[in-house]
Amino acid sequence: MRNFGYFEEDYTQVLSEKGLWRRIFNYLKPFLFPFSGAILLSLFVTASSLGLPWLMQRAIDLYITNPEQSFDLRMTGLGQTGFLYGGLVCLGFITAFLQVLLLEWIGQSIMHSLRQDLFRHLLDVNLAFFNRQPIGRLVTRLTNDIQNMHEMFTSIIVTIFNDLLRMICILGLLLYMNLRLGLLLCLFVPLATGLTILFSKLAREHFRAIRKQLSRLNAFIQETVTGVTLVQLFGRTDDLKKEFTNLNNDYLSKTLRQIKLFGTFMPLTELMSSLAVALILWYGGGEIIRRQLSFGELVAFFSYMRLFFQPLRELSQKYSIVQSALASAERIFNLLDTESEYRTDPDSAHAAPLSLQGELSFKDVTFSYKTNQPVLHDISFTVKKGETVAIVGSTGSGKSTLINLMLRFYEPESGIITLGGHQLPDIARNQLRKEIGVVMQEMLILPDTLLNNIVFDTKKTKAEVVELLENTRLTEFVANLPEGLETIIGEGGQAMSTGEKQLLAIARVLCRNPSLLVLDEASSAIDSRTEKLLEQPLEHCFKEKTVLIIAHRLSTVRRADRIIVLEKGRIIEQGTHTELLARNGMYSQLIALDFGSGSQPTMMNARN
Amino acid sequence: MRCQRPKNNYQQPKVHNLKSEAPPDKLPSLRKVLGLIWPIYRKHRVRLLLGLMALLGVDFLQLTIPRILKKGIDALSDGTAVQNDLLTLGLLICSIGILAAFLRFCWRYLIIGFSRYLERDLRKKIFSHVMTMDGSFFSKYTTGSIMAHGANDLSAIQMACGMGLVAAIDALVMSVAAISFMFQINTSLTLLALLPMPILAVTTRFLSGRLHQRFDRVQEQFSRMTEFARSSIASIRLLKAYTLEESQTKRFAELGQNYVRSSIQVARIQGLLFPISTMVGSIAMLLILYFGGRLVMLETISMGDFVAFVTYLYMLIWPMMAVGWVANLSQRGVTSLRRIFLLLSEKSQLPPGTRDLKPETREFRIRRLSFSYPGSNRAILQSINIDIQRGILGITGPTGCGKTTLCQVLARVFPVPDNTLFIGDTDINELSPKSVQTLISFVSQEALLFSSSLRDNIAFGNPNAGMELIEKVAKAAVIHDEIMSLPEGYDSMIGEKGVTLSGGQRGRVALARALLCDRPVIIIDDGLAAVDTGTEQEIINNIIPWFSGKTVLWVSQRVKQLSISDRLLVMDQGKISDLGSYDELVLRNSFLKEISQRQHLSREQDNA
């Protein structure tokens, strides 16, 4: 229920900071050329923003306050300087615009490739991994965490470079113009840096507290709104309102604390800049009296000082962006480091695909999801080529686990599974999963045409599919859809009944021409229409293919060549329909029940 | 995939909800909408007034600094300046800076703090309102859309009423003051300096409007990507079984590339916005440099005037940029406020009956009751007639036959027409919804538990219940032993950070919760569907004594649960298709026959 903005831990330093930067840099590598372009542009941006006050100073000193020259000469000089000024303004504008675009492109491209890597990796990770991870968290890695890193690439790396460059240049210029006044202003650097770092640390704690409280508040609202009917029925509205009010007030007080913090620190930069103005006026004015400084230089001092304090104001914000980007990067790379199941695969690129036609066999297979709680005990059975074998058993008897092992979603603890005489670990997973066609209870329907949903990645043509459908008696359900094979299904498309979905799944699997067909029958009620729809295609499969079926319907069971009765992870009976009937064990009881004669006594037992 | 993916398939519901709720023809007037927050403004009027004064104070002080500068510089250029005068001026600037910093803290704390109070009060209003709504409301507003109101809309309003308000006032005061000071110095120069400013305001407004649009598109692409990632991870088992890793990654790449493209389009505007404001400022500066410099040479204005003029001009750049931003912010704020207004205008559809129930009534009479969900024409219940007496009434029927709807209507989740539903002799519409709800204990289909301890969950209907009673009901619902086996027993927390319960366990906790209330009517809406068959029998044996003298409605698809009913109701397509004792129906009703046969099969396997 809690999936709304849950709280993520900050940077935990499981991966070292150096290691993180190295891996981030690896993604940057293909873009080194455009990236250096962006840095080059930042030289221009800085030059133009610093050049303007300089031109202003020259205009004042050389022309405006220079009574020695004639008025006309001064005006011409002023005009020329103005012209330069305008040119520099345009240069600044164009380079700044180009830089933003270039950085966005680089950042987005890097993030795109990182996102693709991560997505691809997620699809390759062992299935067991997904049992431990909530989906929401994994999606957050792919979306929000990547977004966080993107901000660092676009707005931080280069702007930090911009700012540093600018601040260094300003300090240099100030020192050049007037050494002592410049040195005085240098005093602000450690002061401002210290304040910024202190503020960033405090702000981060406050932000964390706020985020945590907000996610608690939102989780509470979400939960209560979801269960509002229950709350009303159980008469708890007032209590929950009280609880809500407490959470809401806590959130308010946390935000107010943050406002106090910001209210204290934000004006401090303004205060520093006022102090600097006072300092320049007092000391710089004195220098003018002592003829050590010109008017133009004094005005330039004011302008540069403004430019100097500008990046400081945003530094704390940038610091927190970097922190959150590093935290995201760590989470992303941690996820990328989880083991992919294909790492243990035989190298399929070099070996020719194995020929897998033939039988499936389980030999003494034991398996457990959690240690010491085995789901399967010493399972041995064989499905011969062309045979149809049904497995029956109650929920939790281990039927679905058989499929999980067959497809190598999990590895057996002990025992051997072979397909066509080859042990499963010798077969590349991709080939294995193409050879075993599984019709599962869950359905995957992509929002696409029916044809594409059948073909998937097999590259079959429409004609081939039509032929296949005719051969397998699957044409009827296609004909029932408004545009046949071209009907768009899935989210937003044509709705399909349960039976039709089952048929689609069968068609899809047959299209892949697997050597072994595995059917996991739906356990929920199936109406007679669906039953009828399924009958012919299933009949066809049983005749033509090697089939393993996890059965829930007696009609299916009776059609199988052989039946395996599974109970609590063990095979308790095995044999053909007639053999099992003759044994007069559990299977024959089931059959007797199905014909209705024994149903009354059982019900009487149930009522007592 | 070769086929073009149809549009809008991955549209995330959140985006959808935000846009589609307000029908444009019924937009409430701005006055009405503002009426929603006006009382909150009035409540905090002293706070706001003080904050406003602080803000004006800051603006005043900020404008004073250039005047002091002017004085100093004029004295310097006259040659009348002495070091001591400069020191006095510098100290004056320092103390103004300190005072301004203090006042800045004040307005931040008072005005931004106010916006947080406003946010809290609105959130409380929404929450309290939603808590009183009936099912009709929740079929219109999903939890997701209510959460969106709570998160996005509230923060838009908070921003508009906090920073937006400050920026608007500040921009107005500063620009008016700066401009009038500039006029004081020189009229024609001021007009010249103002010449490029409207261009800035207009382009900012235009660009930020476009930005908004493009940003929405990015958001939409982002949610598509999120939804795609979510659904891929959710069906990871199928993707692996069908070896669709490659093609799915390709699809994801397509979405990613679209996202990159849209992001770059946003960057194109963002890249213009900031440099344009800098450029316009610089152009104004250029005009001042040229024409102002000329005036200084002509000795129309003093050097001090010139410097002060430049400083005022710097002050003007920010208000000009703010205009577009504020306009955008307030526009969003009003839109959000409108949405919240509409949400709060929704009324519960239950008639607010005033009569209370007579103490011993617990019989329902249903007469020609038809029901369809709000906003839909499909009749879910069609002319139902039945008297429900004390004792156990079993209800069964295929999925979608209206069982759950019947339960919800009885529990007063949805309104019904007059003269169709009676408790005792009283029409249910004359009774207060609360008196009906406190009559009924409800076990819903999906056992919804809250993220608190097991004890609190079981005692949900009566938080003061003693431990003895809690254990008693937990034993009756056969969950006690499992709870005791947890390390923290009844104090174990449920939810993401606590224990995870299986579907069956959740169902049993929900049953215990309902038993604890000990109300005269119990409705079990298929609440024990996920309980395994062995436990099922034990629960049935345990709870039959709890039901004596009560009216029990027990919806189930399981024959064992149905077999204990005194009367059994079979529903089909919204109608009563059969009514009788279990023993009668199991022989004559085809649906019951079918499910009983199917369940015998699996039961026998369980018992073996």
Side-chain angles (χ1 to χ4, degrees), chain A residues 35 145 340 444:
Chain A
F35 194 74
D145 278 331
S340 148
L444 171 77

Side-chain angles (χ1 to χ4, degrees), chain B residues 258-283:
Chain B
N258 282 339
Y259 175 71
V260 171
R261 261 195 297 278
S262 312
S263 300
I264 290 177
Q265 283 192 330
V266 166
R268 230 178 261 163
I269 292 186
Q270 267 174 340
L272 279 179
L273 259 178
F274 183 66
I276 274 190
S277 61
T278 322
M279 187 171 81
V280 170
S282 303
I283 290 173

Side-chain angles (χ1 to χ4, degrees), chain A residues 120 223 233 236 342 452, chain B residues 3 242 245-246 451 460 519:
Chain A
R120 182 64 231 233
E223 192 170 282
L233 278 173
R236 290 294 299 278
Y342 294 99
N452 282 337
Chain B
C3 182
Y242 294 135
E245 291 98 332
E246 286 297 339
S451 308
F460 190 68
R519 291 177 179 170

Side-chain angles (χ1 to χ4, degrees), chain B residues 65 88 139 181 213 228 235 239 260 269 291 350 353 358 411 419 437 507-508 567 578-579:
Chain B
I65 292 182
T88 322
S139 45
F181 281 127
Q213 270 174 25
F228 186 87
S235 44
L239 291 180
V260 171
I269 292 186
F291 294 102
L350 296 178
K358 282 181 221 144
N419 295 320
Q437 283 167 347
R508 281 178 279 153
R567 279 196 309 163
D578 217 339
L579 181 66

Side-chain angles (χ1 to χ4, degrees), chain B residues 26-35 334 338 341:
Chain B
K26 275 204 304 194
L27 274 183
S29 74
L30 189 62
R31 251 190 79 190
K32 259 185 170 172
V33 167
L34 288 180
V334 168
R338 213 164 243 156
F341 181 83

